[in-house]
Amino acid sequence: MSIATEIHRRREVAVVGIGATPFGEHWDKGLRELTWDASVAAVEDARIRGKDLELIIVGNMAGGMFVGQEHVAALVADFLGLKPTPAVRVEAACASGAVALRQGYLAVASGLYDLVAVGGVEKMTDVQAGWATAVLTGAMDFEWEAYFGTTFPGIYALIARRYMHEYGLSRELLAEVAVKNHFHGSHNPLAHFQNCITVEDVLSSALVADPLRLYDCCPISDGAACVVLAPAEKARQYTDTPIIIEAATQASDTLSLFERRDICTLDATVEAAQRAYKQANVSPKNVDVLEVHDCFTIAEILALEDLGFCKKGEGGRIYNEKQAYVGGSLPVNTDGGLKAAGHAVGATGIKQVIELVKQLRGEVEGARQVKGAEIGLAHNVGGSGATAVVTILRRR
Amino acid sequence: MSIATEIHRRREVAVVGIGATPFGEHWDKGLRELTWDASVAAVEDARIRGKDLELIIVGNMAGGMFVGQEHVAALVADFLGLKPTPAVRVEAACASGAVALRQGYLAVASGLYDLVAVGGVEKMTDVQAGWATAVLTGAMDFEWEAYFGTTFPGIYALIARRYMHEYGLSRELLAEVAVKNHFHGSHNPLAHFQNCITVEDVLSSALVADPLRLYDCCPISDGAACVVLAPAEKARQYTDTPIIIEAATQASDTLSLFERRDICTLDATVEAAQRAYKQANVSPKNVDVLEVHDCFTIAEILALEDLGFCKKGEGGRIYNEKQAYVGGSLPVNTDGGLKAAGHAVGATGIKQVIELVKQLRGEVEGARQVKGAEIGLAHNVGGSGATAVVTILRRR
């Protein structure tokens, strides 16, 4: 079907420019200023002018609910002075960034467009307490889940509790995910949190939804990220270190958790990963560095399993053996992940890809660099797994 | 640049299935039920099964603000039982439908996908009085326009007042736009309003924003619409009357009205139209039937001018001479337009294309059929013109 066709007909696509703001609380910046900072950096990195762009894709989950602004892509094109360039907003909850990237990838892969900017942005912190959590429930099934009071910490707490019951994961080992991500974040100048924490810090933090505590949960962040895409055959016009998008695949699952065959597996991740490995002709063993969607600590463990890096139920071992640190056999979320680098939902999928591009270019700040990394994989999830996107990048 | 490339490399795309709900107040149906009705009809019309679809694109402006539901495309894929098919939501305010259609068109034109469903949906009426108007201000610049109290009727009233001053358009002639659209709507069983009105009805209706009165304004509606796209070379597998998408072009302009060089011209419409005529190798003279974005009466007059059907300032004459009726020389909004057929914002751009497909297939209900129509043009606008999309269709 489409995948087979895609392998044969697509044109290779490269990331030729990257730019991102710090993730965090930007009290002095709104959607437009955040996007400006990230996109100007990406356009400069690609050594082009904004007017060279032929298409703009913007990932944004909930501009309407957070700041009253829909029509976000037009806002971006306008504020960047890029009219009449067409601008399209894409939304897939917390996977909005990666789905936007995939739309940009398809536009270039198709041969219809050469230079495409894909940005992601979210302004989340300028709201009253509680409102952000309410907005985010828009990513679950409003009528069948959110209406009855469920929130995302609640959903992932159900998953975590079931997982601990099924597979004997200890509360302490779960905390190691957050400890590792904060350690990585402490080396990332763009991270929302740059402080190290201990297992004891996690276990003594406020209970949010049993068994998840405050330090199991990613923050809400303001932030923007942008990449410039070009055909691989022309990429060296724009950069000395083009990074090829070997695959950008997406799959869907039920919106509601209660409809899943197994709440400890994200079938959309499994499906998107299988499609990606096939398209890129790569297996998990070939992947040198990973960015996965750790909205909650348990989510990172599920991701490693569903992406095929270990068997179901064995994800915890990776944290027992500290393999997931930079320097270990499977470096995961080297920028701190959603937990420490932050989660500006529409921007997260782009930010993940930017971290991988920096890793594959070999230009990460100091201690975070994974030596000799050639292949990176990004994994971005919408809701509790109704959308999953897997992107595989390769240095050439 | 991209347009030239597009003409050479793109694969021809056809609409092979259509389906829509009535637009109106659907008290017994939410987003999922409306989408179900429209998409099942479209899939049946294309004589395929849902599982044959390879990609789903959904246009929706403000599911979050209207009904608390973001992640709308995943909801649609889920409720239609189509997981793991990838599903992407596209938003461009009131042009969400046409921008979604264009994304689907690019996916098929590229050669990467064969069968793509593009839907549009909006559930607008299940809110408290005033809230819908507030939500819709999200399509203008929130920080620079909406924050200060401007609403869309206000924006278009400024345009109408300026236009009447510049070009001497009479209040009565402006009302003829609504009279004509209600007349067309009276023959459309899916229209929100199926009653005829007179110029006196318009002039005596409540003042909304001087000079615009209630009957100058389109309603807010619930509704969904869906089309199935396929490569033209395979289209006869699915339908006996494939309708070719000769062009689907988009352009951007400033989000704020005050930044425009001329508030009586929508530059994005002008630009998108020029691109579309070039791509389709068609001029306004070749167009047999038109669906334009008449969110307010004045918008239909601007559209005819900006699309090149008459000179700036001369749009009113078309209504003086009743050319825009079915049977006239330039039938416009034969389904009743946004004014009478209704405006379910995310669905409107798809609904317009469905009306044209029915016209070109020759299957419109009775008196609304434009005899022998071969080429149709749809024009969908986001906000006050920050996004405009022009789609040209041809019977083969």
Side-chain angles (χ1 to χ4, degrees):
Chain A
M1 296 237 308
S2 60
I3 296 303
T5 319
E6 200 163 320
I7 290 168
H8 293 299
R9 299 191 56 149
R10 72 192 164 90
R11 181 159 78 140
E12 278 199 324
V13 181
V15 179
V16 300
I18 56 175
T21 68
F23 278 16
E25 297 184 54
H26 289 280
W27 295 106
D28 55 340
K29 290 184 179 175
L31 277 184
R32 68 180 83 218
E33 291 86 6
L34 290 167
T35 312
W36 171 277
D37 290 352
S39 3
V40 168
V43 160
E44 287 183 349
D45 188 50
R47 308 189 297 229
I48 60 173
R49 296 170 314 155
K51 285 288 181 195
D52 297 329
L53 295 168
E54 296 165 352
L55 180 65
I56 298 164
I57 314 270
V58 180
N60 174 259
M61 174 179 164
M65 297 280 272
F66 279 122
V67 294
Q69 184 70 64
E70 310 283 359
H71 217 173
V72 176
L75 175 79
V76 167
D78 175 13
F79 196 64
L80 294 173
L82 298 184
K83 66 184 172 82
T85 307
V88 178
R89 173 191 167 201
V90 167
E91 183 267 325
C94 303
S96 298
V99 174
L101 184 78
R102 184 169 180 273
Q103 291 298 111
Y105 162 82
L106 290 174
V108 178
S110 70
L112 302 179
Y113 287 96
D114 277 357
L115 281 173
V116 175
V118 184
V121 63
E122 209 80 50
K123 174 72 189 175
M124 304 177 76
T125 67
D126 201 5
V127 295
Q128 291 183 309
W131 181 243
T133 299
V135 172
L136 293 171
T137 62
M140 58 176 69
D141 194 311
F142 183 78
E143 292 178 337
W144 294 357
E145 290 184 322
Y147 184 79
F148 301 100
T150 325
T151 63
F152 269 104
I155 288 279
Y156 276 92
L158 291 171
I159 296 174
R161 177 60 76 203
R162 183 76 204 172
Y163 187 96
M164 291 165 79
H165 171 75
E166 289 279 343
Y167 303 110
L169 178 74
S170 70
R171 192 40 276 220
E172 289 73 16
L173 210 48
L174 189 57
E176 292 282 6
V177 174
V179 172
K180 183 263 297 173
N181 285 340
H182 270 258
F183 176 77
H184 286 160
S186 74
H187 292 283
N188 177 5
L190 298 181
H192 193 150
F193 301 129
Q194 300 177 27
N195 62 315
C196 288
I197 59 171
T198 64
V199 168
E200 291 65 39
D201 290 333
V202 179
L203 299 187
S204 63
S205 65
L207 193 64
V208 172
D210 192 24
L212 300 179
R213 294 177 173 271
L214 186 64
Y215 283 2
D216 289 294
C217 311
C218 73
I220 58 164
S221 314
D222 306 327
C226 181
V227 296
V228 176
L229 306 181
E233 71 219 26
K234 301 180 185 174
R236 289 196 187 271
Q237 293 176 26
Y238 310 110
T239 178
D240 301 325
T241 50
I243 303 298
I244 309 299
I245 301 178
E246 294 279 357
T249 57
Q250 181 186 345
S252 303
D253 197 358
T254 66
L255 209 48
S256 299
L257 192 70
F258 72 85
E259 293 191 282
R260 306 272 170 86
R261 61 170 189 85
D262 168 20
I263 67 169
C264 295
T265 303
L266 268 54
D267 280 346
T269 297
V270 174
E271 177 72 23
Q274 286 172 353
R275 293 183 181 199
Y277 293 136
K278 187 177 171 193
Q279 187 176 324
N281 195 23
V282 154
S283 85
K285 287 179 191 165
N286 307 123
V287 175
D288 299 309
V289 54
L290 267 171
E291 286 281 309
V292 306
H293 196 89
D294 61 316
C295 45
F296 299 91
T297 45
I298 186 66
E300 183 166 314
I301 290 177
L302 297 190
L304 295 181
E305 296 169 349
D306 297 340
L307 292 167
F309 289 91
C310 59
K311 288 185 184 163
K312 183 54 64 186
E314 297 184 357
R317 288 192 201 167
I318 290 169
Y319 296 87
N320 213 3
E321 297 162 6
K322 304 215 182 284
Q323 293 176 46
Y325 282 78
V326 172
S329 58
L330 185 68
V332 179
N333 289 334
T334 55
D335 61 355
L338 281 64
K339 176 66 198 83
H343 187 26
V345 293
T348 286
I350 311 285
K351 179 222 68 165
Q352 293 178 319
V353 164
I354 288 177
E355 172 69 5
L356 294 179
V357 168
K358 288 163 78 173
Q359 288 284 0
L360 300 179
R361 284 179 177 179
E363 63 183 37
V364 174
E365 300 83 358
R368 287 197 298 121
Q369 178 68 51
V370 175
K371 291 198 178 69
E374 286 185 11
I375 296 180
L377 182 150
H379 162 254
N380 193 194
V381 170
S384 59
T387 299
V389 183
V390 172
T391 311
I392 297 179
L393 302 170
R394 187 194 292 261
R395 187 182 75 201
R396 180 151 306 170
Chain B
M1 298 237 307
S2 61
I3 296 303
T5 319
E6 200 163 322
I7 290 169
H8 292 299
R9 298 193 55 150
R10 74 192 163 91
R11 183 159 77 141
E12 279 200 323
V13 180
V15 179
V16 299
I18 56 174
T21 68
F23 278 16
E25 297 185 53
H26 289 279
W27 294 107
D28 55 342
K29 290 184 178 174
L31 277 185
R32 67 180 83 218
E33 292 84 6
L34 291 166
T35 313
W36 171 276
D37 290 352
S39 9
V40 168
V43 160
E44 286 182 351
D45 188 50
R47 307 189 299 227
I48 60 172
R49 297 171 312 155
K51 285 289 180 193
D52 298 329
L53 295 168
E54 296 166 351
L55 180 65
I56 298 163
I57 314 271
V58 180
N60 175 260
M61 174 180 164
M65 298 280 272
F66 279 122
V67 294
Q69 185 69 66
E70 310 283 0
H71 217 174
V72 176
L75 176 79
V76 167
D78 176 13
F79 195 65
L80 294 172
L82 297 183
K83 66 183 171 82
T85 307
V88 178
R89 174 190 166 200
V90 167
E91 183 268 326
C94 302
S96 298
V99 173
L101 184 79
R102 183 170 181 272
Q103 291 298 110
Y105 162 81
L106 290 175
V108 178
S110 70
L112 302 181
Y113 287 97
D114 277 356
L115 282 172
V116 175
V118 185
V121 63
E122 210 79 50
K123 175 72 188 174
M124 305 176 74
T125 67
D126 202 4
V127 296
Q128 292 183 309
W131 181 242
T133 299
V135 172
L136 292 171
T137 62
M140 58 176 69
D141 194 311
F142 183 79
E143 291 177 338
W144 294 356
E145 289 184 322
Y147 184 80
F148 301 99
T150 325
T151 63
F152 269 103
I155 287 279
Y156 276 92
L158 291 170
I159 296 174
R161 179 59 75 203
R162 183 76 204 174
Y163 187 98
M164 291 165 80
H165 171 77
E166 289 279 342
Y167 304 110
L169 176 74
S170 71
R171 191 40 276 219
E172 289 73 15
L173 210 47
L174 189 57
E176 291 283 6
V177 175
V179 172
K180 184 263 298 174
N181 285 341
H182 270 259
F183 177 77
H184 285 161
S186 75
H187 292 284
N188 177 6
L190 298 181
H192 193 149
F193 300 130
Q194 300 178 29
N195 62 314
C196 288
I197 59 172
T198 64
V199 168
E200 290 65 38
D201 290 333
V202 179
L203 300 185
S204 62
S205 65
L207 193 63
V208 173
D210 193 25
L212 300 179
R213 293 178 174 271
L214 186 64
Y215 284 1
D216 288 294
C217 311
C218 73
I220 59 163
S221 313
D222 306 326
C226 180
V227 297
V228 176
L229 306 180
E233 72 218 27
K234 302 181 183 173
R236 289 193 189 271
Q237 293 176 26
Y238 310 111
T239 179
D240 300 325
T241 50
I243 303 299
I244 309 299
I245 301 178
E246 295 279 356
T249 56
Q250 181 186 344
S252 304
D253 197 0
T254 66
L255 208 49
S256 299
L257 192 70
F258 72 84
E259 292 190 284
R260 306 272 170 85
R261 60 171 189 86
D262 167 22
I263 68 169
C264 295
T265 303
L266 268 54
D267 280 346
T269 297
V270 174
E271 175 73 22
Q274 286 173 353
R275 292 182 182 200
Y277 293 136
K278 186 176 170 195
Q279 187 176 324
N281 195 22
V282 154
S283 86
K285 287 178 189 165
N286 307 122
V287 176
D288 300 309
V289 55
L290 266 172
E291 286 282 309
V292 306
H293 197 90
D294 62 314
C295 45
F296 300 91
T297 45
I298 186 66
E300 183 166 314
I301 291 177
L302 297 190
L304 295 180
E305 296 169 349
D306 297 339
L307 291 167
F309 289 90
C310 59
K311 288 184 185 164
K312 184 55 62 186
E314 296 185 357
R317 288 192 200 167
I318 290 170
Y319 297 87
N320 213 4
E321 298 162 5
K322 304 217 181 284
Q323 294 176 46
Y325 281 78
V326 172
S329 58
L330 185 68
V332 179
N333 289 334
T334 56
D335 61 355
L338 281 63
K339 175 68 197 82
H343 187 25
V345 291
T348 286
I350 311 284
K351 180 223 67 164
Q352 293 179 319
V353 164
I354 289 177
E355 173 68 6
L356 294 179
V357 168
K358 287 163 79 173
Q359 288 284 2
L360 301 180
R361 283 179 177 178
E363 62 183 37
V364 174
E365 299 83 358
R368 287 196 298 122
Q369 178 67 53
V370 176
K371 291 197 178 70
E374 286 185 12
I375 296 179
L377 182 149
H379 163 253
N380 194 192
V381 171
S384 60
T387 299
V389 183
V390 172
T391 311
I392 296 179
L393 302 170
R394 186 194 292 262
R395 188 182 73 201
R396 179 150 305 170

